[in-house]
């Protein structure tokens, strides 16, 4: 599952496919320097019951 975050770290869209997240970014005219994609299934870390979605974990972070 992929999540699309804007440059302020706000989750804008979640979908199971990376291409769908990119299409969403293009629909709202977000340039690639203003968002990052994070593979939530691989990069989500559980720490004491809390989820850490640090943008620095983004595989496709610009």
């Amino acid at each position: 599952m992929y999540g699309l975050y804007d440059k302020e770290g706000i989750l804008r869209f979640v979908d199971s496919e990376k291409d769908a997240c990119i299409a969403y970014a293009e629909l709202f005219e977000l340039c690639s320097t203003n968002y990052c994609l994070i593979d939530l299934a691989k990069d989500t870390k559980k720490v004491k019951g809390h989820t850490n979605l640090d943008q620095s974990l983004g595989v496709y972070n610009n």
Side-chain angles (χ1 to χ4, degrees):
M1 177 172 292
Y2 285 88
L4 174 76
Y5 289 80
D6 69 9
K7 66 181 179 180
E8 296 171 0
I10 298 173
L11 179 63
R12 297 293 181 184
F13 185 78
V14 174
D15 195 282
S16 60
E17 296 192 22
K18 176 178 71 170
D19 293 339
C21 287
I22 293 171
Y24 179 88
E26 290 173 354
L27 177 68
F28 288 96
E29 299 177 350
L30 297 173
C31 64
S32 63
T33 58
N34 291 331
Y35 70 83
C36 69
L37 287 178
I38 297 177
D39 185 343
L40 299 175
K42 292 182 182 177
D43 292 335
T44 301
K45 293 184 179 180
K46 297 263 182 183
V47 179
K48 296 182 183 178
H50 300 318
T51 301
N52 180 5
L53 296 177
D54 184 359
Q55 275 191 327
S56 65
L57 299 174
V59 175
Y60 301 97
N61 197 5
N62 291 315

